[in-house]
């Protein structure tokens, strides 16, 4: 029984030598391998057949990197710092550091903080210059949550005041960097501000956000915020602690508007009356247009006090001027241009400020914010259209003879039109709550814009859209120059100056064509109004960019200019 099952002797290996598990079993033919060398070499040795450079330095005086036999596969000892055999100093690769070193980016503090911060925002984090804290903090370092909260509150005021997304990000980055938080990344959208700070590569980031719920146009407050940022970022001899910055920011928030409500209502009437004269109206047209605009302004304030959205506020504000124009038509007065009355009211309502800001955000790469701003402009415009169309339909039903062919182009009074365009700009500046020190500059800028437009479109016979773009470009250029001189925002010097260029007449005749069932004519005129509005926005942005293109940052070295936004170039 034991013999059949096999004893312990049968389970022993065939020989006394133990075999590895990786050895092929007996009977399996093994492939012929390369002959083993009696003298093994290092794994860093060059493979056979690869010849080395005979000009490479060798000798016992050279230090070895890996011991004997390493590096070149021979007994020659070489250094680890010897350049590779295929390397040539005359044709060195860009990956090697040049002999003079990598140039360091220096940003002069004499330049406006907007230029310095725009430059660094477009840089990768690893290429940004080392932070130089302007404001002192205690020994434990800056209070990160308080700095981030202060930054968000400043950004909220700028964004609510109509500032572009790029300038808001630059301001937020400037504040955090001045208080020693160099690894901060601000993000701006239309209604949400956020900022993230990472102390180091191994620490968790700290993120804070703030929602912008209320918007108001007050360029005096905007200028005060810019002065606060300039003191925080550039004033080396003025210490602005966190407590001082919070105090000044609270004063800015509590500051009353420079102009009372009745002045704003009068400015709205002056703007509408000036616009009506600009398109061919007389004294009576001026009075009627001013009265309609003031009535619409008060009606809009009433709607705002009842909590109605801005869409309905614009609708209500557009109805009284249109009603005034229709009433003049029903009186069969031959000396009055009803179309000039309605056009003047439209000038006071068209959202040129939001349009310029939206196109500027789109051209600088902030597409989400640009889309939201342009959608807001569209809603405002639809509200204006609804109010005017309602009155026009009512006038057509009452038998008002509204003539869409009575297009007014007055070439016989250029001096009066220049003065009226400056008056319109002055009224627009008051509506924007600008500082009194900036009113004169923007008034002159508006007069220059109308002179350029009149010379090109009415005397030179150039397309009105092209003439508008050129005039708006000069407005943006001069506005940027004024802002650089005053170290403040360019909006107070630009927004009011584009008032005389707004497409009020094209908008009116487009709406009139739709109201009289002349849809093709009306849509053509509306498309002209849209093209003119886009020409204004693109021209303003182009003029600003031209000033930045040719006016270099004082003292900055090559490569310290603002980098462009990321482009796909169609790929």
């Amino acid at each position: 029984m034991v013999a059949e099952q096999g004893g312990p002797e049968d389970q022993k290996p065939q020989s006394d030598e133990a075999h590895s598990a990786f050895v092929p079993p007996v009977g399996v033919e093994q492939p012929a391998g390369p002959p083993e060398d009696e003298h093994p070499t290092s794994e860093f040795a060059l493979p056979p057949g690869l010849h080395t450079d005979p000009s490479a330095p060798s000798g016992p005086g050279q230090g070895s990197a890996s011991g004997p036999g390493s590096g070149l596969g021979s007994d020659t000892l070489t250094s680890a710092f010897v350049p590779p055999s295929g390397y040539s100093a005359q044709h060195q690769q860009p990956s090697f550091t040049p002999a003079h070193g990598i140039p360091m980016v220096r940003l002069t503090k004499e330049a406006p903080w907007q230029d310095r911060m725009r430059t660094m925002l477009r840089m990768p984090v690893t290429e940004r210059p080392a932070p130089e804290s302007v404001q002192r903090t205690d020994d434990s370092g800056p209070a990160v949550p308080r700095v981030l909260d202060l930054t968000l509150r400043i950004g909220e005021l700028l964004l609510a005041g109509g500032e572009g997304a790029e300038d808001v990000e630059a301001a937020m980055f400037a504040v955090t960097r001045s208080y020693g938080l160099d690894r901060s990344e601000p993000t701006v959208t239309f209604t949400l501000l956020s900022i993230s700070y990472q102390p180091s590569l191994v620490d968790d980031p700290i993120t804070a956000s703030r929602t912008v719920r209320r918007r108001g146009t007050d360029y005096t407050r905007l200028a005060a915020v810019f002065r606060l940022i300039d003191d925080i970022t550039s004033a080396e001899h003025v210490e602005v602690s966190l407590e001082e910055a919070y105090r000044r920011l609270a004063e800015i928030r509590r500051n009353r508007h420079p102009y009372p409500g009745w002045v704003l209502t009068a400015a709205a009437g002056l703007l509408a009356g000036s616009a009506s004269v600009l398109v061919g109206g007389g004294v009576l047209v001026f009075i009627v247009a001013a009265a309609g605009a003031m009535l619409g302004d008060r009606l809009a304030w009433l709607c705002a006090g009842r909590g109605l959205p801005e869409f309905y506020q614009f609708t209500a504000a557009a109805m009284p001027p249109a009603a005034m124009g229709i009433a003049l038509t029903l009186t069969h007065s031959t000396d009055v241009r009803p179309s000039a009355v309605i056009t003047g009211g439209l000038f006071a309502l068209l959202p040129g400020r939001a349009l310029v800001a939206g196109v500027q955000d789109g051209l600088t790469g902030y597409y989400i914010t640009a889309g939201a701003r342009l959608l807001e402009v569209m809603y405002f415009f639809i509200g204006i259209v609804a109010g005017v169309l309602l009155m026009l339909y009512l006038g057509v039903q009452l038998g008002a003879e509204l003539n869409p062919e009575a297009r007014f182009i007055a070439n016989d009074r250029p001096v009066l039109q220049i003065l009226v365009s400056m008056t319109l700009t002055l009224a627009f500046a008051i509506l924007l709550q600008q500082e009194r020190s900036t009113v004169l500059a923007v008034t002159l800028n508006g007069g220059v814009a109308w002179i350029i437009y009149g010379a090109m479109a009415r005397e030179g016979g150039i397309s009105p859209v092209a003439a508008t773009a050129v005039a708006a470009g000069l407005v943006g250029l001069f506005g940027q120059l004024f802002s650089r001189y005053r170290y403040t925002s360019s909006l107070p010097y630009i927004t009011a100056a584009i008032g005389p260029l707004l497409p009020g007449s094209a908008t009116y005749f487009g709406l009139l064509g739709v109201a009289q069932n002349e849809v093709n004519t009306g849509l053509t005129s509306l498309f002209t109004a849209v093209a003119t509005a886009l020409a204004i926005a693109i021209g303003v942005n182009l003029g600003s960019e031209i000033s930045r293109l040719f006016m270099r940052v004082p003292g900055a070295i090559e490569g310290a200019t603002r980098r462009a936004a990321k482009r796909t170039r169609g790929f």
Side-chain angles (χ1 to χ4, degrees), residues 225-306:
V225 176
F226 266 76
R227 284 193 294 268
L228 174 60
I229 300 172
D230 186 65
D231 291 340
I232 292 175
T233 57
S234 304
E236 299 181 355
H237 304 290
V238 178
E239 180 180 357
V240 183
S241 62
L242 284 174
E243 290 73 15
E244 177 67 18
Y246 268 108
R247 185 188 64 79
R248 291 180 57 178
L249 191 62
E251 290 180 353
I252 293 173
R253 285 180 173 273
R254 291 193 302 263
N255 188 23
R256 298 178 61 86
H257 298 304
Y259 307 104
W262 67 270
V263 174
L264 298 180
T265 302
L270 180 62
L271 191 155
S274 302
S276 63
V277 176
L278 191 66
V279 294
V283 177
L284 183 58
V285 169
F286 177 91
I287 296 174
V288 175
M294 288 189 290
L295 183 59
D297 182 76
R298 287 293 91 189
L299 191 58
W301 276 105
L302 180 62
C303 295
R306 294 299 183 268

Side-chain angles (χ1 to χ4, degrees), residues 516-543:
Q516 294 181 340
N517 293 326
E518 298 290 339
V519 179
N520 293 331
T521 304
L523 291 180
T524 301
S525 186
L526 287 178
F527 286 150
T528 302
V530 172
T532 304
L534 292 178
I536 293 173
I538 295 175
V540 167
N541 182 264
L542 183 60

Side-chain angles (χ1 to χ4, degrees), residues 341-432:
V341 175
I342 302 177
T343 301
L346 291 176
F347 266 88
L349 296 175
L350 292 178
R353 172 184 58 86
L355 176 67
V356 171
V359 174
Q360 178 183 357
D361 289 340
L363 294 177
T364 52
Y366 297 85
Y367 301 113
I368 296 178
T369 308
R373 288 185 188 271
L374 293 179
L375 185 62
E376 180 189 39
V377 171
M378 185 188 71
Y379 273 106
F380 291 165
F381 187 77
I382 292 176
I384 297 171
V385 168
V388 175
L389 277 181
L390 182 61
M391 292 294 101
L392 290 180
Y393 277 125
L394 182 60
V396 171
Q397 297 300 323
L398 294 177
E401 296 179 359
L402 301 171
N403 185 12
E405 302 297 332
R407 297 179 179 268
F408 27 75
I409 300 178
N411 297 321
D412 54 344
R413 46 181 189 177
V415 177
L416 177 61
Q417 288 186 329
I418 293 173
L419 296 178
V420 168
S421 66
M422 296 175 65
T423 306
L424 188 152
T425 306
L426 173 64
F428 205 170
I430 295 175
L431 286 176
L432 294 174

Side-chain angles (χ1 to χ4, degrees), residues 30-43:
Q30 300 182 9
E36 297 183 359
D37 193 358
E38 298 180 355
H39 304 284
T41 60
S42 171
E43 60 182 352

Side-chain angles (χ1 to χ4, degrees), residues 464-540:
V465 176
T468 301
V470 174
L474 290 178
V475 167
L477 176 62
F478 292 154
Q480 197 65 230
L481 295 178
F482 283 133
S483 66
R484 283 171 174 264
Y485 176 73
R486 298 290 297 273
Y487 287 83
T488 185
S489 173
S490 60
L491 290 182
Y493 302 97
I494 291 177
T495 307
I498 65 174
L501 304 176
L502 292 175
S505 59
T507 303
Y508 163 70
F509 284 114
L511 297 179
L512 181 59
V514 173
Q516 294 181 340
N517 293 326
E518 298 290 339
V519 179
N520 293 331
T521 304
L523 291 180
T524 301
S525 186
L526 287 178
F527 286 150
T528 302
V530 172
T532 304
L534 292 178
I536 293 173
I538 295 175
V540 167

